[in-house]
Amino acid sequence: MPLKNPNQKSRRTDSGTADDAIISTAFRWSLAVFSMVALVVLAVVYLIRQPPPERPLAPSTPVEAPRVPKQAPLHPPAVTFTDITQAAGIDFVHINGAYGEKLLPETMGGGVAFLDYDNDQDQDLLFVNSGPWRSEAPAGEHAIAALYRNDGSGRFENATAQSGLAANGYGMGVAIGDYDDDGWVDVFITALGDNHLFHNVRGTFVEVTQQAGVAGSADAWSTASAFFDYDNDGDLDLFVANYVRWARSIDLELGFQLTGIGRAYGPPTAFAGSHCYLYRNEGNGSFTDVSRRSGVEITHPATGEPVAKALAALPVDFDEDGRMDLFVANDTVQNFLFHNQGDGQFEEVGAMFGVAFDRDGNATGAMGVDAAHFRNDRDIGFAVGNFANEMTSLYVSQGSYAQFADEAITEGLAAATRRVLTFGLFFFDYDLDGWLDLFQANGHLEEAINSVQPSQHYAQAPQLFWNCATQCETSFLEVAAAGALAKPLVARGASYADIDSDGDLDIIITQVGGKPVLLRNDQQLGHHWLRVRLIGDTVNRDGIGAWVEAVAGARSQRRQVMPTRSYLSQVEMPVTFGLRERATVDRLRVQWPDGSVQELPNVAADRLLVVEQRAAARPDPSRLKPARTSP
């Protein structure tokens, strides 16, 4: 092995020495740089912590916010409603048969109707009674209705004994209409079980249910009902809404409980749905059941079971094509909107048109319904009273009758109506300013509800919403509860009429298991008004379904003659227009159900105007129904 050159240095040794020198030099420079950075940081910290030198303040220039013109808060007009129930002679008491078993029908109450049954030109009153259960009924008979005759001044006399309204049953709602066109309005009463039709024979009623064929099924639970001419043949047909399929034995077996209280009233979700009835008037005193083939029987697509749990019905020509359509308010299932096809058939378009569910796509506990052109424009709105913690629905057409949106929030109804449980409700012009206001009758189902839901009460005050038109951002402002309107009630049905012929509209409210409340409108605003009553010739006698338009100055108001509104109830036949300072209606236009039109110029205000359909007027052939086919 060759020996290494002693003069040759190892590369390993020389390289390691050089590397050590480089590292040493870099370390020294790093220490120097770190020291300099530290000095800079310390200097900055020192400067930051030093108080700023004192110096004179510069003169300041005040900055002013944009000036907003002061506007006084808007308040509804001062109108007093006075409770005159006792003074007016109303001593009716609703009986619901609630003796502790907590049966669902006991919660629903009874309807009320304003009607002129004796043709003396003033508005009488009819109350529907429910009564004790048949097994609990006393030996004497129980009348299903109570009739009070108006003396013209707003005082009433009990005329039940001689009225002929002596049928027994557990009553619910009422419909008024002259189905045989003899000039005397007839009465239909719905019930749990057989329904009842009473023919008015010059002021005395005779039951003709069996002859007419409108009793319905003995095990059905009928609620709302309405007379209207769905086939445009000149006479009034009859729609009857049915609620759930209920039986006392089923209710007792289900054993509903209210936490900490005991047995409670069960919800409608625990019971199956049902089908509604549509009866066609044959013009000879009898009716034919056309429910199935007319399209008003709605079944669940998956189960084939009936869907409806109907509590309110409102016939209204919402798209103004001359054919009466039908809105049905259902409790805990989707609402129905039946669009009249003109051939005896209805198409259910509620979900398609946007009125079946709430804003979140949920079904509501719908109780009462009304519709109106409350903005005095072409859009129509459906108001639906709902269960507690569900705001009142306000479905408004969006420039098209095939598209509706719930505008309860934007129109000022949401917050105030969410806290109550609403049954009856209706549009009416309580201050006669030419804009339709909204009234709601409220009350819960459970007497002990406050013990488990502190925000809820069994008795609840009614609500009145003033239509402020273009004066505020929303259409409706809640009127502060005062006087009779501040009294909590367990309200159900609600209706209106001018009971004392002073031009303004008075209110009746029914209570479940209690006395009704009659509220006289004592407004003293000095506003003018016009009331219009129709007498048909080629159409039904009272012009039900006709549109009446009043043009006064730049304002045009439209009303459809339709007594069926609210919950289980009927309003008066005449329509009322508030005119504010206008003492004359420039043009009154009546479009009759057959399409014929009458116009009256320069109509003086502050009176009841009776308009008779001209015999010379000819109906529009396009509005008439096709030839009737056999059932």
Side-chain angles (χ1 to χ4, degrees):
M1 178 177 183
L3 295 176
K4 291 181 180 180
N5 187 347
N7 296 323
Q8 185 180 7
K9 296 181 179 179
S10 169
R11 292 183 59 187
R12 178 181 177 91
T13 304
D14 291 343
S15 175
T17 303
D19 291 344
D20 291 344
I22 292 172
I23 293 171
S24 176
T25 302
F27 179 72
R28 287 195 299 270
W29 277 104
S30 297
L31 287 175
V33 171
F34 178 79
S35 299
M36 292 178 65
V37 171
L39 289 172
V40 171
V41 171
L42 290 173
V44 171
V45 171
Y46 174 79
L47 291 174
I48 290 175
R49 291 184 174 182
Q50 296 303 306
E54 295 184 1
R55 55 186 175 184
L57 297 174
S60 61
T61 302
V63 178
E64 294 185 0
R67 293 184 178 181
V68 179
K70 292 184 178 180
Q71 183 177 359
L74 192 62
H75 296 288
V79 173
T80 300
F81 283 88
T82 305
D83 184 347
I84 62 167
T85 312
Q86 184 174 355
I90 304 296
D91 56 1
F92 172 77
V93 178
H94 178 261
I95 301 171
N96 65 343
Y99 300 122
E101 287 186 315
K102 295 282 187 174
L103 301 175
L104 183 58
E106 299 167 359
T107 68
M108 308 311 290
V112 61
F114 279 111
L115 74 165
D116 183 10
Y117 83 95
D118 52 1
N119 281 351
D120 63 355
Q121 309 306 311
D122 52 44
Q123 297 300 314
D124 310 302
L125 267 171
L126 186 150
F127 298 97
V128 179
N129 212 344
S130 299
W133 299 106
R134 293 184 184 275
S135 60
E136 299 163 344
E141 290 197 338
H142 162 71
I144 200 171
L147 182 66
Y148 288 79
R149 186 178 63 84
N150 189 343
D151 69 0
S153 68
R155 290 188 57 84
F156 295 83
E157 176 187 3
N158 193 327
T160 308
Q162 62 269 30
S163 69
L165 299 170
N168 295 328
Y170 197 92
M172 296 298 297
V174 57
I176 304 299
D178 183 3
Y179 75 88
D180 58 349
D181 277 328
D182 65 353
W184 298 81
V185 291
D186 308 299
V187 171
F188 182 79
I189 294 178
T190 62
L192 179 61
D194 290 342
N195 300 317
H196 303 270
L197 177 62
F198 297 94
H199 181 222
N200 189 342
V201 183
R202 304 186 65 83
T204 301
F205 292 95
V206 177
E207 183 165 7
V208 294
T209 308
Q210 297 305 319
Q211 302 94 302
V214 292
S217 176
D219 61 355
W221 182 353
S222 297
T223 52
S225 56
F227 283 108
F228 74 121
D229 185 6
Y230 85 93
D231 53 4
N232 280 353
D233 65 351
D235 53 30
L236 293 175
D237 310 297
L238 177 63
F239 178 82
V240 182
N242 286 319
Y243 195 36
V244 297
R245 284 185 283 178
W246 179 90
R248 182 174 184 169
S249 57
I250 297 175
D251 200 330
L252 292 173
E253 287 176 1
L254 290 175
F256 303 104
Q257 297 289 319
L258 196 63
T259 304
I261 302 298
R263 178 166 170 79
Y265 291 110
T269 53
F271 301 91
S274 60
H275 283 316
C276 299
Y277 306 140
L278 179 61
Y279 297 104
R280 188 184 66 202
N281 190 336
E282 299 297 346
N284 58 5
S286 68
F287 292 79
T288 299
D289 187 343
V290 295
S291 309
R292 178 168 298 180
R293 62 191 187 86
S294 68
V296 301
E297 291 188 354
I298 305 299
T299 58
H300 194 283
T303 65
E305 292 296 315
V307 173
K309 298 182 180 182
L311 287 178
L314 176 67
V316 56
D317 182 10
F318 75 91
D319 57 352
E320 299 183 39
D321 62 357
R323 299 187 291 264
M324 293 297 293
D325 310 297
L326 187 65
F327 188 104
V328 176
N330 285 308
D331 189 4
T332 70
V333 297
Q334 66 191 70
N335 300 320
F336 299 151
L337 181 57
F338 291 108
H339 187 218
N340 193 331
Q341 304 298 294
D343 58 358
Q345 303 289 314
F346 289 90
E347 180 186 8
E348 203 289 292
V349 296
M352 184 189 309
F353 284 18
V355 301
F357 305 100
D358 68 8
R359 297 170 63 92
D360 299 321
N362 300 315
T364 62
M367 310 293 182
V369 62
D370 197 6
H373 290 276
F374 66 92
R375 294 174 180 160
N376 286 339
D377 59 13
R378 301 305 296 185
D379 287 327
I380 192 169
F382 289 98
V384 180
N386 292 317
F387 203 77
N389 301 313
E390 298 173 343
M391 72 182 80
T392 292
S393 302
L394 184 62
Y395 303 107
V396 184
S397 59
Q398 304 297 295
S400 165
Y401 294 125
Q403 183 180 5
F404 287 78
D406 190 346
E407 297 188 10
I409 294 177
T410 56
E411 292 294 18
L413 297 180
T417 61
R418 189 185 295 276
R419 65 176 184 261
V420 295
L421 197 166
T422 301
F423 278 85
L425 84 171
F426 51 74
F427 291 102
F428 77 140
D429 186 0
Y430 80 92
D431 58 343
L432 301 177
D433 67 348
W435 297 89
L436 287 169
D437 313 297
L438 182 67
F439 178 84
Q440 295 197 161
N442 307 314
H444 212 283
L445 309 183
E446 286 284 356
E447 292 181 277
I449 189 63
N450 184 250
S451 63
V452 295
Q453 293 185 29
S455 64
Q456 291 296 316
H457 298 273
Y458 185 52
Q460 302 175 356
Q463 292 173 300
L464 179 61
F465 294 90
W466 177 56
N467 188 339
C468 55
T470 58
Q471 301 179 64
C472 51
E473 294 181 357
T474 64
S475 287
F476 295 103
L477 290 178
E478 186 175 10
V479 178
L485 288 179
K487 181 181 179 181
L489 305 172
V490 190
R492 294 298 184 261
S495 181
Y496 64 81
D498 179 10
I499 63 172
D500 46 10
S501 301
D502 62 356
D504 55 34
L505 296 174
D506 311 294
I507 298 173
I508 186 72
I509 307 168
T510 69
Q511 295 194 82
V512 61
K515 298 179 180 179
V517 178
L518 180 61
L519 301 177
R520 186 182 62 207
N521 187 338
D522 288 331
Q523 62 86 24
Q524 298 293 328
L525 301 173
H527 293 167
H528 295 288
W529 48 273
L530 178 67
R531 289 167 52 75
V532 180
R533 184 170 70 86
L534 304 183
I535 299 178
D537 179 26
T538 63
V539 302
N540 67 89
R541 179 77 175 179
D542 292 303
I544 290 176
W547 284 101
V548 184
E549 181 179 14
V551 179
R555 183 173 302 161
S556 175
Q557 304 176 57
R558 305 178 72 251
R559 309 276 190 271
Q560 186 160 45
V561 179
M562 177 48 63
T564 301
R565 299 176 187 272
S566 188
Y567 170 76
L568 305 180
S569 300
Q570 305 276 292
V571 304
E572 62 176 355
M573 293 286 185
V575 295
T576 298
F577 297 97
L579 301 174
R580 204 176 179 89
E581 73 283 353
R582 307 282 302 191
T584 303
V585 170
D586 301 328
R587 178 171 60 91
L588 186 76
R589 183 177 187 270
V590 180
Q591 181 173 310
W592 298 91
D594 61 9
S596 61
V597 174
Q598 281 178 249
E599 292 193 1
L600 290 77
N602 302 318
V603 178
D606 303 325
R607 61 177 175 138
L608 172 65
L609 175 68
V610 178
V611 179
E612 297 187 27
Q613 187 181 18
R614 291 195 303 261
R618 290 292 179 264
D620 180 355
S622 66
R623 300 296 180 95
L624 297 179
K625 73 178 187 72
R628 176 174 291 173
T629 58
S630 300

